Amino acid sequence: MECAPIKTLSEVLKWKESPQLLSSKSVTLRKRVKYQTSCIPRTLVCHDMQGGYLDDRFCEGSESDDCYRFFHWASMNIFVYFSHHFVTIPPLSWITVCHNNGVSILGTVITEHEVGRKLCDEILESQNTLSLLVTSLVSIARDREFDGWLINIENKIKEENVANLVTFLRCLTEEMHHHDPNSIVIWYDSVTKTGELDWQNELNDKNRIFFEACDGIYVNYTWKEENLGRTCQESGLRKSDVFMGVDVFGRGTLGGGGFNIDKPLKLIGDYNLSAAIFAPGWVQETLGKENFTDNQYKFWENVCGLLPLHGFVELPFITSFCQGFGQKIFRRGKVIKTQPWTNLSLQQPQPSFHGSQGSPKGCRVCIYTRDGFNGGGCLQVVGSPTDWNKLVFRIFVCKFPVSEDVLITYTYKSLVLSAISLHLQLTLMSSAGELFTVTIGAKNTSDVHEAKKMKTENIIQRLSQEELQNCTDFYDLPDETEEGWTTVFSVLNYSEFQNHTVKEIGVKNCSTREVS
């Protein structure tokens, strides 16, 4: 089965969900920490990878391990799947991976050039066509289970049709909200209130009518700092609804794009505005597939420290850190398939951090695909031997309430020292706002018996079969090592930690021997 865009108006108006895709549904949008959106800037990523619909169009994945993928989700709020077809419907794999990491995903409606001008005339000169288009777009988003639309009109509009264009935008936003209160409709900074195609590079009186009709505006890329100041004044209490564009390919972007996008992003952050990062596929398109993973880490390490992090809030929480690709597939530490593959639908929740707390350079967490416990690989923690016992590798920011006994289990393997002992370090906050750390991982403590009892009595009934299949098998979790892996049980007791919240999860080495 393949996902595809819609290229004509008639096809959109006759929308009917494909019977083949009815059984292929995405996962529910995972909840993350909520902030007051008028105060906290947001980050949007606009895909635009070589026109879209590459190997990612296959619902069952691809027999290749070098497809483009994204995994720095903790810094993102919105992902736009973009192409230059009239209606871009995000492929199922991207919808699933976004939702599994708590990120909203939008499709794209775009009209361009002379063909786009004629198409807009056809839509906007008929109230019936306009209304049918709104209904169809809402149905498409509902049927494919994604979260809204980017509206990108890059052609001139007749001045007498501008009012209907605003009506279309307002009606689409209202109907999407009626279907899903958390849906998002964003306007791209292109056409002005007189119908001219004139990119403003800021929010101002010429494009305000479109901003006021929807959930946000995606501002063009060739802005200067003075545009940021004027935009702040114009946006008022809706600063986080203004996404200042940053083109990774450069093309007029401050700093020239590429590994220098941290410069415009820092400036955007200084003004407390949201950011829209366009075409991050630059990493693979220009630097090649061979070193994509290393270059992807390098690129986003320059960026993520400038963006707010968003943690998960609900238990149970399970991940094997698989990025949805690999040269093999592992099941409980054993190789069950030896062919390359990519399927973003199988990507597990990814770390919030890719460095270590207070550590020197060269210490990080990253994907490792030569071995794994479940999926295509595992998370590797890499540290300097001389500093290894001093490091805490931060993995997740979160907000997990301790509302009952919490079973904690993790599985690890050492590549450098058989006697190594990895423990989890949890940062908790009390109801009074006090922070402190708890170390989890003493396998031979009294926690083990209680943990095993909990796993059969409490945890199993709260996990779906899909969760069990994708991660550690709680029905038969081993006490001993399996294929060199060690599994650790522990319990965070409600009686001791009631009214506390787990705020951060890290990994530390608690071996008595130094790594050499």
Side-chain angles (χ1 to χ4, degrees):
M1 293 184 292
E2 295 185 24
C3 300
I6 304 178
K7 300 180 181 181
T8 68
L9 177 61
S10 61
E11 289 180 283
V12 176
L13 298 184
K14 295 176 183 176
W15 166 259
K16 189 174 182 180
E17 173 67 303
S18 167
Q20 287 184 309
L21 290 171
L22 283 172
S23 60
S24 300
K25 294 299 185 180
S26 67
V27 298
T28 302
L29 181 64
R30 189 186 294 268
K31 293 182 180 179
R32 301 196 301 183
V33 176
K34 285 188 175 182
Y35 298 100
Q36 188 176 347
T37 55
S38 61
C39 299
I40 302 297
R42 293 179 288 171
T43 307
L44 178 153
V45 168
C46 193
H47 176 255
D48 192 35
M49 175 64 185
Q50 296 180 325
Y53 301 102
L54 304 175
D55 284 355
D56 56 4
R57 72 184 187 275
F58 299 113
C59 294
E60 303 302 323
S62 169
E63 294 181 352
S64 172
D65 63 354
D66 60 4
C67 308
Y68 177 76
R69 67 189 187 280
F70 187 85
F71 47 88
H72 287 79
W73 297 107
S75 302
M76 305 303 142
N77 301 90
I78 302 169
F79 183 89
V80 177
Y81 196 83
F82 184 89
S83 79
H84 288 273
H85 301 293
F86 176 41
V87 173
T88 300
I89 303 174
L92 174 67
S93 59
W94 282 105
I95 300 172
T96 300
V97 70
C98 284
H99 284 183
N100 205 26
N101 283 281
V103 173
S104 298
I105 179 168
L106 312 185
T108 305
V109 177
I110 186 171
T111 62
E112 300 176 284
H113 315 305
E114 182 63 17
V115 173
R117 185 189 65 78
K118 292 179 179 179
L119 179 56
C120 286
D121 287 347
E122 183 179 355
I123 295 169
L124 299 175
E125 290 176 0
S126 167
Q127 290 290 340
N128 183 56
T129 301
L130 188 154
S131 179
L132 288 174
L133 178 57
V134 167
T135 299
S136 292
L137 292 175
V138 173
S139 296
I140 292 169
R142 180 197 64 219
D143 293 345
R144 292 292 179 88
E145 300 181 332
F146 60 95
D147 309 299
W149 296 98
L150 170 68
I151 307 300
N152 187 3
I153 307 299
E154 297 208 55
N155 49 259
K156 187 174 181 179
I157 298 292
K158 292 179 181 178
E159 188 168 3
E160 60 268 28
N161 285 342
V162 170
N164 283 344
L165 179 56
V166 175
T167 297
F168 162 73
L169 196 58
R170 180 177 292 110
C171 289
L172 177 62
T173 304
E174 290 174 352
E175 289 301 312
M176 283 297 302
H177 288 180
H178 179 73
H179 156 62
D180 176 7
N182 296 315
S183 64
I184 303 167
V185 176
I186 294 177
W187 171 261
Y188 181 66
D189 164 35
S190 49
V191 172
T192 67
K193 66 180 181 181
T194 60
E196 296 297 320
L197 181 59
D198 186 11
W199 299 270
Q200 297 300 296
N201 299 301
E202 65 180 26
L203 177 63
N204 59 30
D205 182 61
K206 291 184 178 181
N207 55 23
R208 170 180 286 280
I209 57 172
F210 304 107
F211 175 64
E212 292 175 343
C214 64
D215 298 308
I217 186 170
Y218 181 155
V219 175
N220 191 49
Y221 314 100
T222 56
W223 49 265
K224 307 299 180 187
E225 184 169 1
E226 54 265 29
N227 298 114
L228 299 179
R230 289 194 291 267
T231 296
C232 285
Q233 292 179 345
E234 289 284 337
S235 58
L237 296 178
R238 292 186 62 191
K239 289 175 68 173
S240 69
D241 294 336
V242 180
F243 297 84
M244 303 300 300
V246 175
D247 187 346
V248 183
F249 277 86
R251 293 177 289 204
T253 288
L254 194 70
F259 289 109
N260 294 320
I261 71 162
D262 58 318
K263 295 177 174 61
L265 287 174
K266 185 179 186 308
L267 202 54
I268 292 169
D270 289 342
Y271 283 83
N272 212 35
L273 293 163
S274 294
I277 301 172
F278 182 74
W282 172 90
V283 175
Q284 189 176 96
E285 288 188 55
T286 63
L287 302 179
K289 293 183 176 182
E290 297 79 11
N291 299 307
F292 168 67
T293 299
D294 288 342
N295 287 327
Q296 183 81 329
Y297 278 117
K298 178 182 176 182
F299 178 85
W300 288 102
E301 281 170 3
N302 287 342
V303 169
C304 289
L306 302 172
L307 306 172
L309 289 175
H310 306 276
F312 299 114
V313 298
E314 289 185 324
L315 297 173
F317 177 75
I318 304 171
T319 183
S320 65
F321 299 103
C322 172
Q323 288 185 359
F325 88 110
Q327 296 83 42
K328 304 173 184 177
I329 295 180
F330 303 90
R331 177 64 178 158
R332 297 181 56 76
K334 297 179 180 179
V335 177
I336 63 170
K337 185 177 180 181
T338 58
Q339 296 171 309
W341 65 282
T342 297
N343 187 343
L344 290 178
S345 295
L346 300 180
Q347 185 181 115
Q348 295 289 302
Q350 294 297 301
S352 308
F353 308 99
H354 295 275
S356 59
Q357 184 175 349
S359 68
K361 288 185 177 181
C363 301
R364 61 174 185 161
V365 298
C366 55
I367 190 67
Y368 185 76
T369 57
R370 295 181 184 178
D371 200 353
F373 194 71
N374 281 311
C378 60
L379 193 69
Q380 183 182 35
V381 293
V382 181
S384 168
T386 57
D387 297 303
W388 177 249
N389 280 5
K390 305 172 186 177
L391 299 178
V392 175
F393 292 86
R394 304 162 75 196
I395 299 179
F396 289 111
V397 59
C398 54
K399 193 177 180 181
F400 295 139
V402 185
S403 55
E404 58 183 315
D405 287 349
V406 178
L407 168 66
I408 300 172
T409 180
Y410 62 96
T411 302
Y412 69 92
K413 175 190 281 190
S414 172
L415 297 179
V416 294
L417 183 67
S418 59
I420 198 170
S421 178
L422 285 185
H423 291 192
L424 294 187
Q425 179 169 292
L426 308 183
T427 300
L428 284 88
M429 177 181 285
S430 70
S431 56
E434 299 171 323
L435 291 173
F436 59 96
T437 60
V438 173
T439 300
I440 304 292
K443 185 178 180 183
N444 296 319
T445 66
S446 59
D447 281 347
V448 175
H449 175 75
E450 189 172 354
K452 292 178 182 177
K453 181 180 178 181
M454 280 185 62
K455 77 181 176 79
T456 56
E457 293 184 354
N458 298 337
I459 301 301
I460 292 295
Q461 61 189 7
R462 300 190 321 193
L463 298 177
S464 69
Q465 286 297 321
E466 180 179 1
E467 289 172 319
L468 288 169
Q469 290 169 4
N470 286 341
C471 293
T472 301
D473 187 350
F474 279 81
Y475 289 113
D476 187 28
L477 207 56
D479 298 339
E480 304 301 327
T481 61
E482 183 166 345
E483 300 295 319
W485 293 86
T486 299
T487 297
V488 177
F489 299 97
S490 193
V491 175
L492 208 58
N493 291 300
Y494 174 70
S495 59
E496 184 177 355
F497 295 105
Q498 60 180 307
N499 300 320
H500 287 68
T501 302
V502 180
K503 302 288 289 184
E504 192 172 293
I505 301 173
V507 173
K508 63 184 298 186
N509 172 37
C510 292
S511 304
T512 56
R513 293 172 57 189
E514 294 286 340
V515 177
S516 59

